[in-house]
Amino acid sequence: MKPEWEQLKTWIDESGNIVFFGGAGVSTESGIPDFRSTDGLFNQQYDYPPEVIVSHSFFEAQPEEFYRFLRDRMIFPDAQPNAAHKALAALEKQGKLKAVITQNIDGLHQLAGNENVLELHGSMLRHYCLRCGKRYGLDFVATSTGIPRCDCGGIVRPDVVLYEEGLDQDVLEAAVRAIAAADVLIIGGTSLVVWPAAGLIDYYRGKKLVLINRDATPRDNRANLVIHDSIGQVLDAIVQA
């Protein structure tokens, strides 16, 4: 095991109050791409960048194009938890991990077994009618065509935070409390460039801040331990050791 992995294992073994804060890189190992990345196929299919399509104003102005993108790029019904998700679930069962704070909207942390999951950007597993509030699951939208509509005629939208929309304040405040109280804060699979989520790191007051990401982040110099490896491999190796 690499020295930095050994250091993280020691901190985990010694801690009873760990918080994990993760981003898209946690789920890419489950085959869910970061939708911000662009490729030839994407450029051929859409006339707008992803950040524009999943904005509140675009949703209202061009809902059919919004739902076309949603079905093509944001729904992955066959995705399963990977080694990182499973390792975090194991740490929670051991009583060490107190909260998972995630920017992801795929529900894989819960599927792996984590119970205290704070979803900063909501979840694609939940949808609701804008008119009457009736709740729907993912299948309703995934199998619909055009603009999905409720029995009452209202548009059914995903329970996610679009660009130009604010985060749920209750979820955000719970995340701040968890981070402020943590002995060890592990941040993984995120470039730490999306605000206000990226600013949560500033609420940590401890001296065991760990960043696990394949690439460098703007906040690497803030961390006490930086690991540039696969988050799944790192967490799995530590939990299994």
Side-chain angles (χ1 to χ4, degrees):
M1 191 180 292
K2 298 179 181 179
E4 58 267 31
W5 296 22
E6 291 278 7
Q7 179 64 76
L8 176 56
K9 176 174 168 38
T10 298
W11 286 354
I12 289 176
D13 288 345
E14 296 173 348
S15 177
N17 188 352
I18 302 167
V19 171
F20 178 82
F21 173 35
V26 178
S27 292
T28 54
E29 295 181 22
S30 290
I32 299 179
D34 180 349
F35 78 88
R36 294 181 187 85
S37 61
T38 58
D39 52 35
L41 180 61
F42 173 83
N43 289 328
Q44 292 170 19
Q45 287 185 337
Y46 302 98
D47 296 327
Y48 305 90
E51 290 86 349
V52 172
I53 297 176
V54 292
S55 67
H56 181 83
S57 55
F58 191 93
F59 169 72
E60 290 195 326
Q62 300 192 51
E64 287 196 17
E65 187 70 357
F66 171 89
Y67 282 104
R68 184 167 78 91
F69 179 84
L70 180 145
R71 294 186 185 98
D72 287 348
R73 304 284 292 190
M74 296 178 68
I75 295 178
F76 299 90
D78 298 326
Q80 294 296 315
N82 60 52
H85 296 109
K86 294 174 183 177
L88 292 168
L91 288 174
E92 185 180 278
K93 287 183 174 63
Q94 294 171 17
K96 290 181 170 295
L97 184 69
K98 300 305 182 184
V100 170
I101 303 166
T102 181
Q103 295 172 284
N104 297 335
I105 57 176
D106 49 48
L108 291 181
H109 285 294
Q110 292 93 327
L111 188 58
N114 280 111
E115 295 183 3
N116 189 20
V117 180
L118 300 172
E119 297 172 314
L120 294 177
H121 297 156
S123 174
M124 277 295 296
L125 302 185
R126 303 186 300 268
H127 294 72
Y128 64 93
C129 174
L130 288 172
R131 180 179 295 175
C132 72
K134 182 178 178 180
R135 293 283 172 171
Y136 290 88
L138 178 63
D139 287 347
F140 179 81
V141 172
T143 59
S144 64
T145 58
I147 303 172
R149 292 190 178 275
C150 177
D151 296 335
C152 75
I155 295 177
V156 176
R157 68 157 281 177
D159 189 8
V160 300
V161 179
L162 303 176
Y163 282 90
E164 303 168 352
E165 295 178 341
L167 301 185
D168 183 296
Q169 286 302 302
D170 290 337
V171 174
L172 187 60
E173 289 172 8
V176 168
R177 289 194 299 271
I179 288 174
D183 293 332
V184 177
L185 174 61
I186 303 173
I187 299 177
T190 175
S191 57
L192 291 174
V193 296
V194 177
W195 291 78
L200 290 174
I201 188 175
D202 296 326
Y203 291 95
Y204 179 63
R205 295 291 181 260
K207 296 182 179 180
K208 295 177 181 177
L209 172 59
V210 184
L211 291 185
I212 308 174
N213 201 51
R214 287 187 180 274
D215 303 314
T217 78
R219 309 300 292 274
D220 280 8
N221 60 353
R222 168 78 166 80
N224 303 107
L225 181 63
V226 177
I227 302 175
H228 289 153
D229 283 304
S230 158
I231 187 169
Q233 291 179 9
V234 173
L235 294 182
D236 181 62
I238 288 172
V239 169
Q240 297 295 334

